PDB file of all heavy atoms in Angstrom:
ATOM      1  N   LYS J 529     -36.899  24.411  -9.465  1.00 94.00           N
ATOM      2  CA  LYS J 529     -38.201  25.127  -9.706  1.00 94.00           C
ATOM      3  C   LYS J 529     -39.106  24.295 -10.510  1.00 94.00           C
ATOM      4  O   LYS J 529     -40.372  24.357 -10.368  1.00 94.00           O
ATOM      5  CB  LYS J 529     -37.845  26.438 -10.366  1.00 94.00           C
ATOM      6  CG  LYS J 529     -39.034  27.424 -10.550  1.00 94.00           C
ATOM      7  CD  LYS J 529     -38.645  28.697 -11.152  1.00 94.00           C
ATOM      8  CE  LYS J 529     -39.838  29.671 -11.240  1.00 94.00           C
ATOM      9  NZ  LYS J 529     -39.420  31.027 -11.749  1.00 94.00           N
ATOM     10  N   ILE J 530     -38.630  23.582 -11.505  1.00 96.00           N
ATOM     11  CA  ILE J 530     -39.508  22.685 -12.405  1.00 96.00           C
ATOM     12  C   ILE J 530     -39.666  21.314 -11.804  1.00 96.00           C
ATOM     13  O   ILE J 530     -40.367  20.481 -12.487  1.00 96.00           O
ATOM     14  CB  ILE J 530     -38.882  22.626 -13.868  1.00 96.00           C
ATOM     15  CG1 ILE J 530     -37.540  21.836 -13.791  1.00 96.00           C
ATOM     16  CG2 ILE J 530     -38.776  23.919 -14.407  1.00 96.00           C
ATOM     17  CD1 ILE J 530     -37.011  21.525 -15.203  1.00 96.00           C
ATOM     18  N   GLY J 531     -39.171  21.122 -10.581  1.00 95.00           N
ATOM     19  CA  GLY J 531     -39.433  19.799  -9.941  1.00 95.00           C
ATOM     20  C   GLY J 531     -38.602  18.675 -10.489  1.00 95.00           C
ATOM     21  O   GLY J 531     -38.947  17.532 -10.195  1.00 95.00           O
ATOM     22  N   ASN J 532     -37.535  18.971 -11.146  1.00 96.00           N
ATOM     23  CA  ASN J 532     -36.707  17.903 -11.705  1.00 96.00           C
ATOM     24  C   ASN J 532     -35.894  17.307 -10.560  1.00 96.00           C
ATOM     25  O   ASN J 532     -35.291  17.921  -9.667  1.00 96.00           O
ATOM     26  CB  ASN J 532     -35.654  18.489 -12.705  1.00 96.00           C
ATOM     27  CG  ASN J 532     -34.850  17.415 -13.280  1.00 96.00           C
ATOM     28  OD1 ASN J 532     -33.813  17.103 -12.758  1.00 96.00           O
ATOM     29  ND2 ASN J 532     -35.250  16.837 -14.479  1.00 96.00           N
ATOM     30  N   LYS J 533     -35.886  15.882 -10.548  1.00 94.00           N
ATOM     31  CA  LYS J 533     -35.237  15.130  -9.530  1.00 94.00           C
ATOM     32  C   LYS J 533     -33.994  14.339 -10.088  1.00 94.00           C
ATOM     33  O   LYS J 533     -33.526  13.512  -9.411  1.00 94.00           O
ATOM     34  CB  LYS J 533     -36.193  14.207  -8.895  1.00 94.00           C
ATOM     35  CG  LYS J 533     -37.410  14.825  -8.199  1.00 94.00           C
ATOM     36  CD  LYS J 533     -37.038  15.706  -7.030  1.00 94.00           C
ATOM     37  CE  LYS J 533     -38.197  16.291  -6.338  1.00 94.00           C
ATOM     38  NZ  LYS J 533     -37.786  17.178  -5.272  1.00 94.00           N
ATOM     39  N   SER J 534     -33.605  14.650 -11.263  1.00 97.00           N
ATOM     40  CA  SER J 534     -32.523  13.852 -11.893  1.00 97.00           C
ATOM     41  C   SER J 534     -31.192  14.178 -11.147  1.00 97.00           C
ATOM     42  O   SER J 534     -31.033  15.305 -10.553  1.00 97.00           O
ATOM     43  CB  SER J 534     -32.256  14.289 -13.326  1.00 97.00           C
ATOM     44  OG  SER J 534     -33.443  14.162 -14.093  1.00 97.00           O
ATOM     45  N   ILE J 535     -30.299  13.178 -11.072  1.00 97.00           N
ATOM     46  CA  ILE J 535     -28.970  13.571 -10.559  1.00 97.00           C
ATOM     47  C   ILE J 535     -28.246  14.484 -11.492  1.00 97.00           C
ATOM     48  O   ILE J 535     -28.497  14.468 -12.740  1.00 97.00           O
ATOM     49  CB  ILE J 535     -28.162  12.286 -10.223  1.00 97.00           C
ATOM     50  CG1 ILE J 535     -27.647  11.578 -11.558  1.00 97.00           C
ATOM     51  CG2 ILE J 535     -28.842  11.331  -9.325  1.00 97.00           C
ATOM     52  CD1 ILE J 535     -26.642  10.508 -11.387  1.00 97.00           C
ATOM     53  N   VAL J 536     -27.367  15.262 -10.999  1.00 98.00           N
ATOM     54  CA  VAL J 536     -26.692  16.249 -11.824  1.00 98.00           C
ATOM     55  C   VAL J 536     -25.161  15.941 -11.784  1.00 98.00           C
ATOM     56  O   VAL J 536     -24.654  15.778 -10.697  1.00 98.00           O
ATOM     57  CB  VAL J 536     -26.884  17.786 -11.382  1.00 98.00           C
ATOM     58  CG1 VAL J 536     -26.149  18.681 -12.192  1.00 98.00           C
ATOM     59  CG2 VAL J 536     -28.416  18.091 -11.435  1.00 98.00           C
ATOM     60  N   LEU J 537     -24.490  15.869 -12.886  1.00 98.00           N
ATOM     61  CA  LEU J 537     -23.187  15.526 -13.098  1.00 98.00           C
ATOM     62  C   LEU J 537     -22.396  16.777 -13.407  1.00 98.00           C
ATOM     63  O   LEU J 537     -22.802  17.462 -14.440  1.00 98.00           O
ATOM     64  CB  LEU J 537     -22.923  14.386 -14.018  1.00 98.00           C
ATOM     65  CG  LEU J 537     -23.773  13.142 -13.871  1.00 98.00           C
ATOM     66  CD1 LEU J 537     -23.524  12.234 -15.078  1.00 98.00           C
ATOM     67  CD2 LEU J 537     -23.474  12.483 -12.545  1.00 98.00           C
ATOM     68  N   GLY J 538     -21.331  17.132 -12.787  1.00 97.00           N
ATOM     69  CA  GLY J 538     -20.609  18.362 -13.123  1.00 97.00           C
ATOM     70  C   GLY J 538     -19.098  18.157 -13.152  1.00 97.00           C
ATOM     71  O   GLY J 538     -18.682  17.051 -12.999  1.00 97.00           O
ATOM     72  N   GLY J 539     -18.348  19.231 -13.233  1.00 95.00           N
ATOM     73  CA  GLY J 539     -16.905  19.195 -13.353  1.00 95.00           C
ATOM     74  C   GLY J 539     -16.376  19.679 -12.045  1.00 95.00           C
ATOM     75  O   GLY J 539     -17.075  20.118 -11.141  1.00 95.00           O
ATOM     76  N   SER J 540     -15.066  19.651 -11.904  1.00 94.00           N
ATOM     77  CA  SER J 540     -14.281  20.002 -10.657  1.00 94.00           C
ATOM     78  C   SER J 540     -14.567  21.441 -10.197  1.00 94.00           C
ATOM     79  O   SER J 540     -14.490  21.748  -9.029  1.00 94.00           O
ATOM     80  CB  SER J 540     -12.890  19.773 -10.846  1.00 94.00           C
ATOM     81  OG  SER J 540     -12.527  18.473 -11.104  1.00 94.00           O
TER      82      SER J 540
END
Side-chain angles (χ1 to χ4, degrees):
K529 188 175 180 179
I530 64 172
N532 180 273
K533 301 296 184 182
S534 305
I535 69 171
V536 180
L537 310 174
S540 298

